[in-house]
Amino acid sequence: MVNVKEVPADLLLNKLASEFKEKDVKMPEWVNYLKDGIGKERSWVQDDWYYTRMASIMRKVALNSSIGISRLSQEYGGRQDRGTKRYHPVEGSRYIVRNILQTLEKLGYLKNDTKTGRSLTPAGQSLVDKAAKEVMKNLAEKDKVFEKYL
């Protein structure tokens, strides 16, 4: 059985993002006008950043089992340039994280528990496992070293 931890993150995120695009997940209109947080100066350069962030949040929930909005916003935060003062850590946008979590809940991949936070449903776990298995199969076709993970 292929584990999410064994698969390279960038390949898994690309696979999950392409699956979200295939499922016709709509990007909200406001995504072109926001930036990721107070520590950023510009908004995104990629056109499909929303799907990549959605896949990344799905992966982080799969790895951490139960996680909340504020912890995820810390994960996507950075450092703020304060001029001549030292850099200061800042959180990412909680609005974006909350919206993506609500979208994943509507799709049926996450469930919300008020005490522990968000966690994967069986459908979400199945989606992540299938994507990880397909990525590992593609890697095994290119290099025989990865066959031991299948």
Side-chain angles (χ1 to χ4, degrees):
M1 182 75 179
V2 179
N3 191 354
V4 178
K5 295 178 183 178
E6 298 167 350
V7 180
D10 57 341
L11 300 175
L12 181 65
L13 293 181
N14 290 337
K15 179 66 179 164
L16 284 173
S18 66
E19 291 198 16
F20 288 137
K21 288 178 192 175
E22 290 174 5
K23 292 189 186 291
D24 292 332
V25 176
K26 302 287 184 191
M27 280 187 11
E29 295 105 21
W30 49 261
V31 296
N32 296 327
Y33 305 112
L34 290 183
K35 56 183 188 171
D36 189 23
I38 195 169
K40 305 290 181 178
E41 292 183 6
R42 295 184 296 162
S43 61
W44 291 272
V45 178
Q46 301 93 353
D47 293 332
D48 60 345
W49 69 267
Y50 188 79
Y51 298 110
T52 307
R53 179 61 58 95
M54 189 179 289
S56 176
I57 286 178
M58 186 91 163
R59 180 179 174 271
K60 285 191 184 291
V61 171
L63 290 175
N64 297 324
S65 71
S66 60
I67 193 167
I69 293 173
S70 62
R71 180 69 182 138
L72 282 170
S73 68
Q74 289 172 2
E75 293 277 336
Y76 294 110
R79 56 186 199 166
Q80 184 177 13
D81 186 7
R82 303 187 310 159
T84 57
K85 300 179 199 173
R86 293 183 180 156
Y87 284 102
H88 185 74
V90 292
E91 295 180 347
S93 174
R94 288 189 304 250
Y95 180 73
I96 295 171
V97 172
R98 186 180 310 110
N99 188 287
I100 289 176
L101 287 173
Q102 289 171 352
T103 304
L104 289 172
E105 285 177 9
K106 287 178 188 174
L107 291 172
Y109 297 136
L110 295 181
K111 62 182 175 184
N112 187 6
D113 186 14
T114 55
K115 293 183 181 178
T116 59
R118 303 311 203 285
S119 60
L120 288 177
T121 61
Q125 187 67 44
S126 172
L127 176 72
V128 171
D129 288 340
K130 285 179 185 176
K133 189 172 184 178
E134 288 180 19
V135 167
M136 196 56 79
K137 277 185 183 178
N138 291 339
L139 283 175
E141 289 174 1
K142 294 177 184 176
D143 192 2
K144 301 292 182 188
V145 175
F146 294 105
E147 285 183 356
K148 65 181 179 182
Y149 294 109
L150 293 176

